[in-house]
Amino acid sequence: MNLTLRIWRQRGPEDRGAMVTYDLPDVSPDMSFLEMLDVLNERLILEGDDPVAFDHDCREGICGACGVVINGQAHGPMDRTTTCQLHMRSFNDGDVIDVEPWRAAAFPVVRDLVVDRSGFDRIIGAGGYISVVTGSAPEAHSTPVPKPVADAAFDNATCIGCGACVAACPNGSSMLFTSAKVTHLNLLPQGAPERESRVRGMVEAMDDEGFGGCTNTGECTVACPKGIPLTSIGNLNREFLRAVTRR
Amino acid sequence: MPETTSLGSGGGSYWSVGDDIVDTAAPDGPIETRWDRRKFAAKLVNPANRRRHTVIVVGTGLAGGAAGATLAEQGYKVIQFCFQDSPRRAHSIAAQGGINAAKNYRNDGDSVYRLFYDTVKGGDFRARESNVYRLAQISTQIIDQCVAQGVPFAREYSGLLDTRSFGGVQVQRTFYARGQTGQQLLIGAYQALSRQIDAGGVEIHPRTEMLDLIVIDGRARGIVARDLVTGKITPYLADAVVLATGGYGNVFFLSTNAKGSNTTATWRAHRRGALFANPCYTQIHPTCIPRSGEYQGKLTLMSESLRNDGRIWVPKQKGDTRSPDQIPEAERDYYLERIYPAFGNLVPRDIASRAAKYQCDDGRGVGPGGLGVYLDFADAIKRLGEDKVREKYGNLFEMYDRITGENPYKVPMRIYPAVHYTMGGLWVDYDLQSSIPGMFVIGEANFSDHGANRLGASALMQGLADGYFVLPPMIGNYIASTKLGSVSLDDPTVTSVVGEVTGRLGRLLEINGDRTPDSFHRELGELIWDECGMGRTEAGLRKALARIPELREEFWRRVKVPGDSGELNQSLEKANRIADFLEFGELLCIDALHRAESCGGHFREESQTPDGEALRDDENFAYAAAWEYTGGAPVLHREPLQFDYVHLAQRNYS
């Protein structure tokens, strides 16, 4: 396949940045999207150009490091697929492909396609955990968890924190990310004692980080590679309302 | 310059032999009470004094994340580093299958002793009995800890925890969270760590890479790290340093490791005096998705748990290119079930990997290049129904489909072995302390618990056991029993290590040659895979040992690293890591050359039984090989291994 790539190049947070066009011939349909970028970067290095900076690590869809906006869609055209799992067979010979970083006020650009998502870590630090001193836990079977509850908690626990939800949201909201964590922990009996302080802390942190509000557009769930459902946001709202009315 | 030193040039010998070593921290007496007695003998640090002590933790995976969280919770001041943008992305997150624990919830005859026994045997008698027993003992506590943290393990309709079985084992002791067990355990540790970061007990430095170790008066007192965004080189000082930096599988270039996983932290510590043990012990995992092209930079593993229900076969006829559904039952060879009837498709990883290699070497491999065997779920789907199979393995099937474009519910998967986990690592004693006092090494970065072959679902167990339960009391013991003088940032050692680190990065940028960093990494990796992969021969290893110094010399002459060091420069990060792989790869091959026995995943073709199984040589090699860095030929120190409980025997899974 022969492709034309238009890639966002930005040297640092202060730089204005611009789309730069590269022609890339002989792309194999078996390549992943990131392998295609590797091939481009090898060429750029030998030509004396700066290679394109992008975040990636596990390259199997689980670490959540990768993520770019491809032709306007976070992680590209495939459903439930991270950028590293996207293969070039999803494109056609002669395609022009736009590649941009996540765009959100709370995710400043570090360089090229790399953004700073540390706001997510601070949201987790504000309550996204269960407080248990190492070595003090009760016997695991002493707290049974009904399978449907465990399964629902699990479905929310699969969030990889990639930030596609924020990138896809017209408001740059992190409601889907936060709701997944709140739903995972608040559903479980282990998470119940801290249920209210957790949701209050996390929502507050989310606002402090500059993430936007939710207007139920639903783009987040479309972009989410792990299929976190919109109902989790409903659950977050209920949990929050419950917590503030009980204060 | 030291980087181009050839370890074996000049003389005909690649190494010399030094004194034997012993693990002086290990208690003796009945194995069941060793850990309890060690903990009781350990000195304690008064809770009020702990805040006056600083511990550096490098890495935020299962071992590092758990250690940072626990040490901070106990009151120590922790400075923690990871090269990823968030501690949540450490490569432990990619582990799929599960974590073992001797809970005996199935009442199928499991016990701490049986888990201990299976692990020593599975490791082909090259692990320490004391360490493995402790691991089995702690396993039950790990499950309790994780469940309390909200890790959503799979459950039965009763609300109780579900388990499944794994390779090399005849009981069902593996706890799992669909095919994302590593992710869920890591997120648990990350959340515990995040809580401590928020509380101020942990100072976290993401996107920061350790580039060297600071040793003052013979003790580890700090590290030099580079901020990967600004390029700033900074020394950090502490009372103790913990390395939790994972394995070195990426020396092979193509492996299942995350792209960033590297050996720089452990190799730099080795150069500063830490012994490196058993570097040739790499695990080849049998169920990886076969490589698809020359440009490929990363392989993807399919969880070993698939072998619970999937059946592995190849066509009986060599060079059979028919599509799998055109090959009738009678013309298929379910070779694992045939050769190893008791364990069948669940034989340990080294045995399954080697068996697949033999089928492919013999011309019965399937898929492009004949480097693949089928992993077929047709029978399981017939027996359990597609829904049940989807519930158990859905995300793995989806992942396979994404990567290959084939639907495994309709067509058998193709798998081939790949480098996965490394059992070698920095030498540590029973307290997890390296040969540099004050430097502790935990998780995959150390060598101690897995022997020559790691059984499935035991890496997660070791990472968490080390981080949550073993390291914290041992750090306390070190701090309480050591008189630590104060060190300052203007200490000449600090200045000189910072200077060395800066100089090395500068040199990499100045070369401005005509080859990319990746091209060297690929060449090194292919060489090591060919000569020191699933099968190794003396001639092949000598060939690799002749080529690696040349390649290293070429690297320092021809590599091209664009940009500068005062910015985010991913090519520079990569080149600096590859420079270390180019040194480490040589030690790996030397270790493989010296160990003229077959053992676990390390198969020396000169040493095999008439049936083609690995033939251990306990007479000559029942030891851990701990290598000392000299700048020239390394010195081998042997730690003899004693087996008082699990008696040395040929492994037999048939």
Side-chain angles (χ1 to χ4, degrees), chain B residues 115 187 202 209 221 302 334 434 464 474 525 539 636:
Chain B
L115 174 52
I187 294 294
V202 176
E209 184 171 23
R221 294 307 300 265
M302 301 299 292
Y334 295 89
S434 71
L464 291 179
M474 293 302 113
L636 169 66

Side-chain angles (χ1 to χ4, degrees), chain B residues 309-318 320 322-339 345 359 364-366 373-382 408-413:
Chain B
D309 287 304
R311 298 180 69 196
I312 293 173
W313 63 276
V314 290
K316 279 186 178 163
Q317 187 69 37
K318 284 186 189 181
D320 191 337
R322 287 177 292 174
S323 76
D325 60 322
Q326 298 298 308
I327 303 177
E329 262 323 284
E331 293 172 43
R332 301 175 175 191
D333 181 9
Y334 295 89
Y335 58 90
L336 290 177
E337 298 169 33
R338 173 171 58 80
I339 310 170
N345 293 299
Q359 297 302 326
R364 280 182 291 273
V366 298
V373 299
Y374 288 125
L375 175 61
D376 196 340
F377 277 80
D379 278 3
I381 290 171
K382 223 178 285 164
Y409 293 100
K410 306 273 177 256
V411 195
M413 296 183 192

Side-chain angles (χ1 to χ4, degrees), chain B residues 431-488:
Chain B
D431 293 353
L432 303 181
Q433 185 165 221
S434 71
S435 53
I436 302 176
M439 187 179 89
F440 293 76
V441 189
I442 60 177
E444 190 180 355
N446 78 25
F447 89 107
S448 60
D449 292 11
H450 303 301
N453 178 51
R454 182 176 67 75
L455 287 183
S458 62
L460 305 189
M461 184 168 61
Q462 191 213 343
L464 291 179
D466 285 2
Y468 282 133
F469 299 103
V470 184
L471 178 86
M474 293 302 113
I475 284 269
N477 176 64
Y478 173 75
I479 288 172
S481 57
T482 311
K483 227 179 141 52
L484 287 162
S486 65
V487 288
S488 78

Side-chain angles (χ1 to χ4, degrees), chain A residues 78-93:
Chain A
M78 295 271 291
D79 272 0
R80 296 211 179 183
T81 305
T82 57
T83 305
C84 66
Q85 293 174 298
L86 175 67
H87 282 67
M88 298 315 290
R89 65 179 83 93
S90 305
F91 298 88
N92 299 309
D93 187 31

Side-chain angles (χ1 to χ4, degrees), chain A residues 171-209:
Chain A
N171 308 328
S173 168
S174 67
M175 283 283 269
L176 194 67
F177 169 79
T178 310
S179 72
K181 187 43 61 186
V182 166
T183 306
H184 160 208
L185 296 175
N186 280 19
L187 269 177
L188 294 170
Q190 290 88 341
E194 293 169 300
R195 184 174 169 182
E196 287 141 19
S197 61
R198 171 176 306 117
V199 69
R200 278 200 303 266
M202 292 179 77
V203 167
E204 205 175 292
M206 193 171 87
D207 293 343
D208 289 350
E209 290 294 332

Side-chain angles (χ1 to χ4, degrees), chain B residues 211-476:
Chain B
L211 295 185
D212 218 325
L213 180 77
I214 296 171
V215 182
I216 296 173
D217 294 334
R219 295 185 180 279
R221 294 307 300 265
I223 65 165
V224 173
R226 178 168 180 266
D227 180 322
L228 300 180
V229 176
T230 64
K232 194 163 183 284
I233 308 281
T234 311
Y236 296 86
L237 300 176
D239 297 321
V241 175
V242 180
L243 298 192
T245 53
Y248 47 78
N250 266 334
V251 67
F252 289 88
F253 186 71
L254 276 185
S255 82
T256 65
N257 286 207
K259 291 286 283 178
S261 299
N262 65 84
T263 193
T264 288
T266 48
W267 185 252
R268 292 281 127 191
H270 173 61
R271 289 183 55 126
R272 297 278 171 207
L275 300 178
F276 211 118
N278 302 335
C280 80
Y281 288 169
T282 55
Q283 178 175 76
I284 315 288
H285 197 291
T287 54
C288 183
I289 300 176
R291 173 177 177 176
S292 63
E294 285 305 312
Y295 48 78
Q296 194 158 349
K298 166 78 178 26
L299 294 170
T300 301
L301 187 78
M302 301 299 292
S303 166
E304 180 180 33
S305 65
L306 291 168
R307 291 196 278 146
N308 269 307
D309 287 304
R311 298 180 69 196
I312 293 173
W313 63 276
V314 290
K316 279 186 178 163
Q317 187 69 37
K318 284 186 189 181
D320 191 337
T321 53
R322 287 177 292 174
S323 76
D325 60 322
Q326 298 298 308
I327 303 177
E329 262 323 284
E331 293 172 43
R332 301 175 175 191
D333 181 9
Y334 295 89
Y335 58 90
L336 290 177
E337 298 169 33
R338 173 171 58 80
I339 310 170
Y340 308 101
F343 282 76
N345 293 299
L346 283 174
V347 290
R349 293 176 177 180
D350 58 323
I351 292 180
S353 296
R354 208 147 44 235
K357 177 179 190 285
Y358 288 158
Q359 297 302 326
C360 297
D361 288 353
D362 250 14
R364 280 182 291 273
V366 298
L371 290 177
V373 299
Y374 288 125
L375 175 61
D376 196 340
F377 277 80
D379 278 3
I381 290 171
K382 223 178 285 164
R383 181 162 45 88
L384 305 165
E386 200 172 304
D387 285 348
K388 185 80 189 164
V389 168
R390 179 167 287 116
E391 187 181 319
K392 281 172 106 167
Y393 307 112
N395 75 306
L396 300 170
F397 278 38
E398 208 179 292
M399 194 167 83
Y400 183 85
D401 190 341
R402 292 270 181 279
I403 289 169
T404 61
E406 290 172 3
N407 177 355
Y409 293 100
K410 306 273 177 256
V411 195
M413 296 183 192
R414 285 173 296 110
I415 53 167
Y416 194 69
V419 172
H420 180 50
Y421 188 90
T422 54
M423 283 77 64
L426 291 177
W427 185 88
V428 289
D429 63 15
Y430 187 74
D431 293 353
L432 303 181
Q433 185 165 221
S434 71
S435 53
I436 302 176
M439 187 179 89
F440 293 76
V441 189
I442 60 177
E444 190 180 355
N446 78 25
F447 89 107
S448 60
D449 292 11
H450 303 301
N453 178 51
R454 182 176 67 75
L455 287 183
S458 62
L460 305 189
M461 184 168 61
Q462 191 213 343
L464 291 179
D466 285 2
Y468 282 133
F469 299 103
V470 184
L471 178 86
M474 293 302 113
I475 284 269

